[in-house]
Amino acid sequence: MRKDVVPVSSPSPLPPLSPPAGPPPCPPARRVSLPAARPVRLVLCLSPVLLAGCWALADRPVASEGASRLAAADPGWLLAGAALTCLTWVAAACVRQGSLPDKLPPGLLLASQFAAGAANHVLPGGLGAHAVTLRFLRARGVPLDRATASIGLYSLARSVTRTLVLLAFLAACPARRRLGELVPDGPVPVPAAAVAGGALAVAGVLLTVVPPVRRPVTGLVRAALADARAVHGRPCRVLALWGGSAAMPLVQAGTLVCVGTSLGLGLPWEQVVLAHLAAGTAVGAVPAPGGLAVDAALVSFGAVPAVAAATVIGHRVLNDWLPLLPGALTLSALIRARAL
């Protein structure tokens, strides 16, 4: 007996979905490469090298005189001075890390401080180094107010420790009385004090009556106080901040001691250190070339003027000229790697 097979009809296809009302979606925009941006970026990366070359050409007589004087110096002491110069960047990196609670990569931090030394010759008053450090901290994800606060804590720690080290050497060195010959006669500090007082008065008025200025300054002060409490609650940060700040002027003065010994300056090391510290403080109080102030301080301690001048030139060569081109190249490399 055969069963009838009922044919099964195939399901009818679904009607196509109607497109949604409205304009058709725009295709995703493609990133257009700008070939013209590459030369601009290359010029920006090489600008520190160009500035270093212009600096060297502008002060060519100083560089040549320093090199001729140092040709007859003791190379062993000069090598020791170069090693102490390298330690200044290590000390600066320690202070930078100690002024911020966040952990920074040690290698990039040290490279940024080496590059900051080259940028410091372009802008006066340490602004070049602070600008490079600010860009470095921003690239590490640190907010702008906290990065600025760390720079303020860095500057405050360096000023306080330098003053304390100077006072310690003034108390321990019997030759401190000879520095009184460097104090100028007349009311020279009065204009500087008047300018400082006027600047503080103007700043106080602006903070009091201008709210757009008061609000960011208030936020910056709050961030600075919060980070300062966090930093001083960690012993490792306290050691890095204050220990590095105390080591920096001593290391820089040690370079001057090594150069003076290589040239036969004939002064005890404590007098050379005191001359360096006192000259740095005098330059901060009264605008004057740093080399001239150190030269005058060494001469006041009894050094021969020609040897004192050669010592200052040698210190400038080791501390400023030799690291200038490598520091500019490092700055350019950090910019190309977008670490700044």
Side-chain angles (χ1 to χ4, degrees), residues 20 43 60 72 84 94 98 104 113 159 188 190 197 206-207 215 223 233 241 246 253 257 265 269-270 279 281 332:
V43 169
R60 186 174 60 252
L84 289 176
C94 290
L104 300 175
Q113 295 311 296
S159 301
V188 175
V190 174
L206 289 177
L207 292 176
R215 282 192 293 267
L241 177 63
V257 171
L265 184 62
W269 66 270
E270 61 272 11
T281 305
S332 299

Side-chain angles (χ1 to χ4, degrees), residues 81-300:
L84 289 176
T85 300
C86 296
L87 289 180
T88 58
W89 305 312
V90 178
C94 290
V95 182
R96 295 290 186 187
Q97 178 61 86
S99 61
L100 193 69
D102 307 68
K103 177 66 176 177
L104 300 175
L108 283 178
L109 178 60
L110 183 59
S112 69
Q113 295 311 296
F114 182 53
N120 215 25
H121 295 289
V122 181
L123 298 176
L127 295 179
H130 292 332
V132 171
T133 303
L134 183 63
R135 294 288 298 177
F136 173 74
L137 295 179
R138 294 290 291 134
R140 305 278 74 76
V142 181
L144 180 60
D145 54 350
R146 295 184 58 236
T148 308
S150 72
I151 292 176
L153 182 58
Y154 170 90
S155 302
L156 178 63
R158 285 199 58 187
S159 301
V160 170
T161 53
R162 186 183 184 93
T163 303
L164 293 177
V165 172
L166 174 60
L167 292 176
F169 271 88
L170 284 174
C173 186
R176 61 184 179 274
R177 298 180 183 87
R178 299 182 182 179
L179 292 175
E181 303 173 0
L182 300 178
V183 178
D185 297 331
V188 175
V190 174
V195 171
L200 290 177
V202 171
V205 171
L206 289 177
L207 292 176
T208 304
V209 302
V210 184
V213 176
R214 183 173 63 249
R215 282 192 293 267
V217 172
T218 303
L220 179 61
V221 171
R222 290 175 181 172
L225 293 177
D227 278 1
R229 285 194 298 265
V231 162
H232 288 85
R234 305 171 62 178
C236 59
R237 292 291 192 269
V238 174
L239 179 61
L241 177 63
W242 296 103
S245 299
M248 284 190 68
L250 295 177
V251 169
Q252 293 171 351
T255 304
L256 186 67
V257 171
C258 291
V259 175
T261 305
S262 68
L263 294 171
L265 184 62
L267 292 179
W269 66 270
E270 61 272 11
Q271 293 184 9
V272 179
V273 174
L274 180 58
H276 183 272
L277 295 173
T281 305
V283 169
V286 180
L292 179 61
V294 177
D295 191 358
L298 292 176
V299 171
S300 68

